[in-house]
Amino acid sequence: MKRFLYVLMLALLIGQIAQAESPRKTNARTRNTRQQTLQHQVPRPRVALVVGGGGAKGAAAIGAMKAVEASGIPIDMVVGTSAGAIITGLYAVGYNAQQLDSIYRAQDWIYLLSDMAAPRWKPWSKVKGVPGMMRGERFTQKLDSLLGGRCCSFDSLPIPLRCVAVDVRDFREVTLDSGNVAQAIRASMSVPLAFTTVEHDSMLLVDGGLLNNLPVDVARSMGADYVIAIDLMDAKRATQQSRGEMHTRGLVSILEWKYVRPDLDKYQVNRRDADVLIHPDVEGYHGASFSEDDTRQLIARGEEAGRAALDKLAEIRQRVQPEQKGKGSKGSKGSKGLSGSKGSRSSKGSRESERRALKFGDK
């Protein structure tokens, strides 16, 4: 009798253990199936936004970016040269196009950019890089306050960023992908003779537009499947070619660059390689068109060029997110940011960006 009870109790215990283990096995099978499904899912194509250089004409890029946001295309990476580095740098940390519009209009750009470098005589042999009239420190400090003093790998930003500059020592293109973000932007916009060069990792950096003013190729190297490029060059440059290769370095190279224009060949290639090219009409404006009326007109021209590209943007949207066909775009007017992008403007980072944007208008 005792043996019978012992066997019965043992059977009941084994049954309870089996019942307890069954859900675990089911959950494990479910997890494994889910993992296998995820492994076989095809990731959506990656989209890059590239903004070229153009000084004050960068206002037109902000206008064009409103159309990019309205299209609802998720932006996975941004690349900029010179003025484009300013815009994409701010965009990378969470500012949307409307916030950039407000920031741009609020500034006294002449005040920000005109902190003159103290005149210092040096023997020609001891001059580092290319001399410049303005230090750009006032602007860099303002920019750094907007960016929150970020110093990091640019891949760790809400939207990965690259800034293009030129090392004037050997006149080669440099892609900046880490360090102080404001300083990288400052290097990318260091127009020779206007701004002092930026020393960085033994390099002497000046404006990236000298060699790559529309860096679509940099976006491709980051893994972009589709590239939306905003071109701020004068229309006449779209058909011009370089006159040869550079043979000088340092200050003399700037003079040679003006004649040779080695950037134009790559510029033509990058224009053709962009999947969507937005080219606002900037005829009649130049790099120092910072007046209130000029800014208003340039932003309006950018918005017009952006609207003209909406059909092409819609095609890219459907290739990137075909399942959302016919649905309203979260990136439409009034949205805090782009639908599904890493730099979602509804995040805590966006609210911090808004707070900094309000402060940035004050000197």
Side-chain angles (χ1 to χ4, degrees):
M1 185 66 180
K2 289 182 179 180
R3 183 177 297 177
F4 173 76
L5 290 174
Y6 174 79
V7 173
L8 180 61
M9 290 176 63
L10 184 60
L12 290 173
L13 180 61
I14 293 173
Q16 289 177 349
I17 293 173
Q19 288 179 357
E21 287 294 321
S22 180
R24 295 180 187 177
K25 291 180 180 179
T26 301
N27 290 338
R29 285 195 297 270
T30 302
R31 284 195 299 271
N32 290 336
T33 302
R34 193 174 298 155
Q35 289 172 356
Q36 291 172 1
T37 301
L38 289 173
Q39 289 173 356
H40 287 86
Q41 283 180 346
V42 178
R44 70 164 178 79
R46 303 177 71 200
V47 183
L49 174 65
V50 173
V51 182
K57 294 179 287 186
I62 294 173
M65 286 170 65
K66 295 177 183 179
V68 177
E69 287 190 350
S71 72
I73 297 175
I75 300 299
D76 301 292
M77 62 197 78
V78 288
V79 185
T81 296
S82 198
I86 301 172
I87 295 166
T88 54
L90 292 171
Y91 198 77
V93 303
Y95 293 96
N96 62 31
Q98 189 55 55
Q99 289 169 336
L100 292 175
D101 182 307
S102 300
I103 290 170
Y104 198 97
R105 293 177 191 263
Q107 304 320 304
D108 182 347
W109 288 99
I110 303 302
Y111 168 80
L112 281 178
L113 299 173
S114 62
D115 49 343
M116 304 298 289
R120 291 180 296 175
W121 183 87
K122 286 185 178 181
W124 180 262
S125 61
K126 294 186 178 181
V127 174
K128 283 187 175 183
V130 179
M133 295 184 295
M134 294 170 285
R135 298 190 306 272
E137 292 178 3
R138 189 181 296 154
F139 172 77
T140 305
Q141 290 170 0
K142 285 287 188 179
L143 186 60
D144 200 43
S145 70
L146 262 183
L147 295 165
R150 281 177 168 83
C151 188
C152 57
S153 164
F154 295 173
D155 284 334
S156 69
L157 296 172
I159 301 178
L161 166 72
R162 297 291 185 272
C163 299
V164 177
V166 169
D167 184 359
V168 76
R169 296 178 313 160
D170 51 10
F171 217 83
R172 66 181 178 88
E173 181 181 337
V174 176
T175 300
L176 301 172
D177 59 5
S178 63
N180 182 275
V181 180
Q183 195 70 5
I185 294 171
R186 166 68 176 82
S188 182
M189 56 162 278
S190 296
V191 178
L193 303 180
F195 292 97
T196 55
T197 55
V198 173
E199 295 187 43
H200 176 75
D201 289 344
S202 76
M203 296 181 289
L204 297 174
L205 301 177
V206 295
D207 195 304
L210 292 177
L211 289 178
N212 196 355
N213 203 49
L214 192 67
V216 172
D217 58 320
V218 176
R220 296 293 186 193
S221 70
M222 293 174 69
D225 298 292
Y226 294 104
V227 177
I228 302 166
I230 302 176
D231 183 7
L232 302 175
M233 293 269 273
D234 294 337
K236 63 182 180 180
R237 301 294 184 196
T239 56
Q240 293 181 349
Q241 302 293 326
S242 300
R243 293 191 179 97
E245 297 181 357
M246 297 286 294
H247 300 285
T248 58
R249 299 293 180 265
L251 177 59
V252 179
S253 67
I254 305 303
L255 303 177
E256 184 185 12
W257 175 88
K258 190 70 176 175
Y259 172 76
V260 175
R261 289 304 301 264
D263 58 307
L264 291 178
D265 287 346
K266 177 176 281 191
Y267 169 66
Q268 308 299 342
V269 172
N270 281 334
R271 276 176 56 90
R272 291 191 295 269
D273 192 37
D275 297 284
V276 178
L277 179 67
I278 304 177
H279 195 176
D281 177 9
V282 293
E283 186 70 28
Y285 297 92
H286 50 77
S289 297
F290 287 115
S291 73
E292 183 177 341
D293 185 61
D294 286 344
T295 296
R296 179 177 56 82
Q297 291 288 347
L298 283 166
I299 290 176
R301 291 192 179 197
E303 291 172 346
E304 182 181 359
R307 286 193 295 270
L310 281 174
D311 287 344
K312 292 182 179 179
L313 291 171
E315 292 177 8
I316 299 299
R317 165 67 185 273
Q318 293 308 318
R319 294 174 190 172
V320 173
Q321 295 179 318
E323 75 282 358
Q324 296 192 17
K325 185 175 181 180
K327 294 184 179 181
S329 167
K330 293 182 181 179
S332 59
K333 186 177 180 181
S335 170
K336 290 293 182 183
L338 299 181
S339 170
S341 77
K342 295 179 182 178
S344 175
R345 301 330 190 233
S346 61
S347 65
K348 181 179 178 181
S350 174
R351 292 193 293 273
E352 181 68 12
S353 297
E354 290 185 26
R355 183 183 65 78
R356 294 195 190 107
L358 291 173
K359 291 179 64 179
F360 192 63
D362 302 326
K363 294 180 184 177

